[in-house]
Amino acid sequence: MRGGMGNMQNMMKQVQKMQKKMAEAQEQLGEEKIEGTAGGGMVTVVVTGHKEVVDVQIKPEAVDPDDVEMLQDLVLAAVNDALKKADELSNNTMGQFTKGLNLPF
């Protein structure tokens, strides 16, 4: 019985260590800056690894008062591009903690 308690304590220490590493990885994700673009760089959107938009840049030649819809589409495409890249970064970063665990999501 004694060995079982020692194994349980050891396992709990391992879990706590993993939780700490996961928290650190999450914090680092928030500091990452991911850039999405559209229209060949006419619109650029920057998001953090936590999917917070922190910058939007629009080149003057992308602004056509007679075609506002095109600009809206470019902004939307750049945001979606940045968010997709943020998802990929998050999956790559956080996936190391769940690899092989077969968790239901």
Side-chain angles (χ1 to χ4, degrees), residues 36-45 56-59 62 71 74-76 78:
T37 61
M42 298 287 273
V43 175
T44 302
V45 173
V56 176
Q57 295 179 12
I58 301 171
K59 291 191 175 178
L71 180 56
L74 289 174
V75 171
L76 185 61

Side-chain angles (χ1 to χ4, degrees), residues 16-95:
Q16 288 172 341
K17 204 187 249 185
M18 189 169 108
Q19 286 175 327
K20 183 179 180 191
K21 286 183 180 180
M22 286 176 69
E24 289 170 355
Q26 273 287 30
E27 189 175 321
Q28 285 178 325
L29 269 177
E31 295 171 8
E32 291 287 333
K33 301 287 190 269
I34 301 103
E35 189 175 280
T37 61
M42 298 287 273
V43 175
T44 302
V45 173
V46 178
V47 299
T48 68
H50 289 161
K51 301 180 190 176
E52 177 184 348
V53 176
V54 293
D55 191 26
V56 176
Q57 295 179 12
I58 301 171
K59 291 191 175 178
E61 54 269 26
V63 180
D64 179 354
D66 295 327
D67 194 2
V68 174
E69 285 183 10
M70 181 196 65
L71 180 56
Q72 291 169 338
D73 289 343
L74 289 174
V75 171
L76 185 61
V79 169
N80 285 332
D81 183 42
L83 292 176
K84 179 181 173 215
K85 290 175 182 176
D87 275 341
E88 290 170 359
L89 177 64
S90 180
N91 289 339
N92 289 338
T93 301
M94 301 309 291

